[in-house]
Amino acid sequence: MKRINLRQMEENQSGKIVAVNAAGELGRRIRDMGLVPGTEFRIKGRAPLKDPVALRMMGFTLSLRNSEADHIEVEVKG
């Protein structure tokens, strides 16, 4: 498995969160959205200017800014 940050993922690519590399208020906000290590998700799409990114996880869709996605390390297949 390859490790990259969430911002680098392609549409329809699946991954699993391995780390949230943000402290303080931003780290808490990311974790409060359910983005914690072990969570599996798929990239559903991106806005026309590539920001935000839509994730499908745990039965719902979540939109995330690239500035937040930069702090999330994921494992992807391939």
Side-chain angles (χ1 to χ4, degrees):
M1 294 237 192
K2 185 169 83 173
R3 284 187 177 200
I4 60 176
N5 76 31
L6 196 149
R7 185 178 188 161
Q8 298 171 309
M9 293 180 72
E10 304 287 331
E11 192 168 332
N12 290 319
Q13 191 173 23
S14 296
K16 182 168 78 174
I17 296 172
V18 293
V20 175
N21 300 317
E25 182 67 23
L26 178 60
R28 188 188 61 78
R29 178 177 151 76
I30 290 171
R31 287 185 283 278
D32 283 351
M33 290 188 279
L35 299 167
V36 295
T39 303
E40 295 186 6
F41 63 93
R42 181 177 54 87
I43 300 294
K44 187 171 181 180
R46 291 184 185 273
L49 296 176
K50 308 282 186 191
D51 191 21
V53 58
L55 314 176
R56 185 75 184 163
M57 55 183 255
M58 299 186 293
F60 66 92
T61 301
L62 175 71
S63 291
L64 193 68
R65 295 183 194 126
N66 281 335
S67 61
E68 296 164 331
D70 284 339
H71 298 281
I72 301 170
E73 186 176 335
V74 301
E75 273 185 356
V76 294
K77 295 178 182 170

